[in-house]
Amino acid sequence: MIRRPPRSTLSSSSAASDVYKRQVSTQSTGVQGHCIMDKPRYARVMKILGRTGSRGDITQVRVEFLDDNTRSIIRNVKGPVRDGDILTLLESEREARRLR
């Protein structure tokens, strides 16, 4: 399914428009984009840092990669999560901003 940008963001500089362009270009060429990894990486939740989002429905967690125990990053998770849960990360380079 292709995500289309909302009608209010049809300008070429909008983030939603950029996502749409990336999906169309990767779908038409059959090659995955540079920001999506070939295979998912698994990470264990080490610590729950707090809640974020306008309604508090996003949980910010620190995760440690199962294949590289020396590396840990902060991610935002939607839905229920506990310490010790295993997350499947389709993209593992981006890190969430810290809560204030």
Side-chain angles (χ1 to χ4, degrees):
M1 181 173 129
I2 296 175
R3 285 182 47 201
R4 304 251 185 238
R7 292 182 185 191
S8 63
T9 59
L10 291 178
S11 71
S12 61
S13 64
S14 71
S17 175
D18 185 41
V19 168
Y20 171 69
K21 285 184 214 164
R22 267 200 318 258
Q23 288 177 347
V24 170
S25 66
T26 59
Q27 210 171 41
S28 63
T29 61
V31 178
Q32 286 195 342
H34 61 83
C35 63
I36 298 174
M37 298 189 63
D38 293 338
K39 62 179 189 170
R41 292 187 68 185
Y42 300 103
R44 177 177 288 114
V45 175
M46 301 306 294
K47 183 178 181 183
I48 295 179
L49 302 175
R51 310 278 287 175
T52 186
S54 61
R55 291 171 285 173
D57 55 345
I58 307 296
T59 307
Q60 194 165 78
V61 298
R62 177 169 295 281
V63 298
E64 180 181 75
F65 292 102
L66 295 181
D67 58 351
D68 183 9
N69 291 338
T70 61
R71 185 163 172 244
S72 68
I73 62 173
I74 296 171
R75 293 300 294 253
N76 292 331
V77 179
K78 185 172 183 178
V81 66
R82 295 184 296 190
D83 285 347
D85 283 355
I86 305 295
L87 302 179
T88 303
L89 303 178
L90 299 178
E91 192 279 320
S92 61
E93 297 301 317
R94 280 189 301 174
E95 187 165 0
R97 282 189 250 154
R98 300 275 287 158
L99 293 173
R100 295 181 205 156

